[in-house]
Amino acid sequence: MNAQQAQAAETRSGLDKYFKITERGSTVAREVRGGLATFFTMAYIVVLNPLIIGTVADADGQFLGDSTQPGGAIPLVAAATALIAGLLTIAMGVIGRYPLAMAAGLGLNAVLAFSVASGMSWEDAMGIVVLEGLIILLLVLTGFRTAVFHAIPPELKTAIAVGIGLFIALIGFVDAGFVRRIPGAEGESTVPVQLGATGSLSGWPTLVFCVGLLLTAFLVARRVKGAILIGIVATTVFAMIVEAFAKVGPFNAGPGPDGKPVINPDGWQLNVPTLPDEVVSVPDLSLLGEFSLFGSFERVGVVAALLFVFTIMLADFFDTMGTVVGVGAEAGLLDKQGNLPGVRNVLIVDSIGAAAGGAGSVSSNTTYIESAAGVAEGARTGLASVVTGALFLVAMFFSPLVTIVPFEAATPALVVVGFLMMTQIRNIDFSDYDVAIPSFLTIVLMPFTYSITAGIGAGFIAYVVIKAARRRFAEIHPLMWLIAVLFVIYFALDPIKELLNVV
């Protein structure tokens, strides 16, 4: 063996020892293959996250990056999403040493866009995410995270995930134009929405959405790896072909002679699917650091701000616990008590990810259940996560590509993700009304009120009230009393202000 071979062998030995590759019955080749599988399974977030948080205006009418146009922030969010996901996934691999990948959390970004940013500026909203991450980190370091985990009834945890799933699906249908508001419905009809623009489906973009939804559903049903990403790409290509021949044009064609926007009800929502001037570019990372840590407290008040922090923390908190246990079990890495050895390091990185996502203006980053795709390919160590993270860093140079994707090509993925989240409803015992009714309220009020916070609050209050009315006080954790009181204050904030004569 020559000196070069000896050095290579020593390097492999060090790599093997650090990541425990041989000890966990894996190989470098399996880890690389697993890292690739995980990336292609979750790379859709680089497209979906910008379409969720990059197209929603804050309370001041501004989009991320101080843009006044909904599409202007998309490349910025895409680049930042890929960067933060890449760095955190590498950190998870090196520090956590498990095949767990991280990125902006679906569901969490919906909470941020539709429940939080609608009441304040985007900088204030991102500050709430940073605060939430720091609080979770503190809970991990003090060991209090487990106590909070046990305080919330498991059925309500499940209901939150199911409700967010329905909410995401509704967003998908609305953004695609499949479900629309009835023009002038207020005062004329008790039904606020309808099918399509006229009560029926019309236009090429609607056909593209339907084809994309059926294709994505088929791929998911067949358990095709990377089904969601394949669905988005294939539907976008179909949309580009349709636009090339049909010349559909945008939904909003800009101001007309009278200054009012010219609306084409059968046009493309958000983006017209045509190739951009450039495919590869140096990423614009100007969104990094655009957050105000305590701006939300001045904007909406201390109680409302704390409830927003709690809402995001709750979703982030339990999603991670479930993901870590689920992926660890599939990989055969749990101990006899069902715990993941060294999970503290995993939770520390995950907590930092929440704060980093806020600081990077891409929403809270969390551990992805799609990591199971890499495990299925043989990944058992953090080396797979290093591979996945490196691919995310490469992806941020291709962020201009997301401007090709119209809502009609991306929203089928939201509907299918909503379905996947809703499957957890099987874990709720609907024969036990004590938990079934609060769970039901949590689930239905999220889409019906277009507010995730409203759903969680109603469910928590109902749970405490029902248990108390039935004199089952021992089943109510002290923290649940506190949370319920906070939500009562949240819902009654305006009457309280009037009572106290506070503007």
Side-chain angles (χ1 to χ4, degrees):
M1 181 183 296
N2 57 38
Q4 186 175 1
Q5 290 174 324
Q7 184 177 2
E10 184 178 350
T11 301
R12 286 195 297 272
S13 176
L15 191 70
D16 189 302
K17 183 178 179 181
Y18 183 82
F19 287 108
K20 301 181 180 179
I21 298 174
T22 301
E23 181 180 330
R24 295 181 184 171
S26 185
T27 64
V28 172
R30 287 182 184 176
E31 296 302 310
V32 172
R33 189 168 65 246
L36 287 167
T38 296
F39 172 76
F40 285 111
T41 305
M42 61 182 287
Y44 65 85
I45 193 61
V46 179
V47 177
L48 276 189
N49 194 47
L51 293 179
I52 292 175
I53 69 171
T55 59
V56 176
D58 59 20
D60 301 322
Q62 294 291 312
F63 297 88
L64 278 166
D66 294 326
S67 173
T68 57
Q69 299 296 324
I74 288 179
L76 305 182
V77 179
T81 297
L83 173 65
I84 301 298
L87 294 177
L88 289 172
T89 300
I90 290 173
M92 180 65 80
V94 174
I95 299 173
R97 304 191 196 185
Y98 283 107
L100 299 168
M102 296 183 65
L106 275 176
L108 294 170
N109 51 11
V111 174
L112 188 67
F114 298 100
S115 292
V116 182
S118 59
M120 60 189 75
S121 71
W122 270 111
E123 289 80 4
D124 296 339
M126 290 301 172
I128 281 181
V129 177
V130 175
L131 282 174
E132 172 258 336
L134 295 176
I135 291 172
I136 289 185
L137 178 60
L138 181 63
L139 294 178
V140 173
L141 296 176
T142 59
F144 187 67
R145 188 169 191 177
T146 303
V148 176
F149 180 79
H150 290 304
I152 313 298
E155 290 85 357
L156 285 183
K157 300 171 193 172
T158 300
I160 291 169
V162 174
I164 290 175
L166 280 179
F167 185 55
I168 288 176
L170 177 61
I171 291 170
F173 282 120
V174 170
D175 284 350
F178 192 90
V179 173
R180 302 195 187 192
R181 294 183 181 89
I182 299 178
E186 188 174 353
E188 299 179 9
S189 171
T190 57
V191 181
V193 294
Q194 65 183 7
L195 179 67
T198 59
S200 62
L201 300 179
S202 63
W204 283 104
T206 300
L207 173 65
V208 169
F209 169 77
C210 293
V211 170
L213 179 58
L214 292 174
L215 172 63
T216 307
F218 169 76
L219 294 172
V220 169
R222 290 294 302 270
R223 303 294 198 274
V224 174
K225 293 172 182 176
I228 294 177
L229 180 63
I230 293 172
I232 292 174
V233 172
T235 308
T236 300
V237 171
F238 179 44
M240 293 174 68
I241 294 172
V242 168
E243 175 61 23
F245 285 95
K247 306 295 182 184
V248 176
F251 176 81
N252 186 343
D258 58 356
K260 296 182 179 180
V262 177
I263 300 299
N264 172 16
D266 292 331
W268 298 104
Q269 301 276 356
L270 185 67
N271 294 321
V272 176
T274 56
L275 281 174
D277 295 332
E278 55 182 3
V279 174
V280 181
S281 68
V282 177
D284 184 341
L285 301 175
S286 59
L287 287 180
L288 301 183
E290 292 294 313
F291 69 95
S292 174
L293 195 59
F294 296 106
S296 59
F297 289 80
E298 297 180 6
R299 188 65 181 267
V300 299
V302 174
V303 174
L306 289 176
L307 282 170
F308 281 133
V309 171
F310 171 76
T311 299
I312 297 177
M313 183 182 72
L314 190 70
D316 197 0
F317 191 98
F318 298 114
D319 180 70
T320 296
M321 295 293 286
T323 298
V324 168
V325 173
V327 174
E330 186 169 343
L333 297 173
L334 303 183
D335 59 23
K336 294 180 180 179
Q337 287 73 41
N339 299 317
L340 190 70
V343 71
R344 186 171 183 270
N345 285 344
V346 171
L347 295 178
I348 286 175
V349 176
D350 184 86
S351 302
I352 293 172
S361 298
V362 298
S363 179
S364 177
N365 274 231
T366 187
T367 307
Y368 261 55
I369 193 64
E370 283 84 352
S371 303
V375 169
E377 290 292 332
R380 295 294 182 272
T381 79
L383 181 58
S385 295
V386 173
V387 173
T388 302
L391 289 172
F392 268 119
L393 295 182
V394 172
M396 71 178 176
F397 290 92
F398 294 87
S399 57
L401 284 175
V402 299
T403 60
I404 302 174
V405 186
F407 267 151
E408 291 81 0
T411 48
L414 288 181
V415 176
V416 173
V417 168
F419 155 74
L420 294 174
M421 295 181 71
M422 189 179 174
T423 58
Q424 298 180 55
I425 199 171
R426 63 183 180 274
N427 297 319
I428 300 175
D429 181 6
F430 281 97
S431 65
D432 181 0
Y433 286 6
D434 284 15
V435 294
I437 293 175
S439 297
F440 168 76
L441 291 174
T442 299
I443 292 169
V444 299
L445 283 178
M446 287 188 189
F448 288 172
T449 64
Y450 225 64
S451 169
I452 293 170
T453 306
I456 294 176
F460 278 35
I461 293 172
Y463 176 83
V464 171
V465 169
I466 291 173
K467 286 291 186 183
R470 290 171 60 85
R471 298 181 181 278
R472 295 181 174 178
F473 299 103
E475 298 177 20
I476 307 175
H477 194 284
L479 285 176
M480 285 297 293
W481 284 103
L482 174 62
I483 295 167
V485 169
L486 287 175
F487 271 120
V488 168
I489 295 173
Y490 173 76
F491 286 125
L493 206 54
D494 285 341
I496 291 173
K497 286 181 177 179
E498 291 182 11
L499 184 64
L500 299 177
N501 197 27
V502 177
V503 179

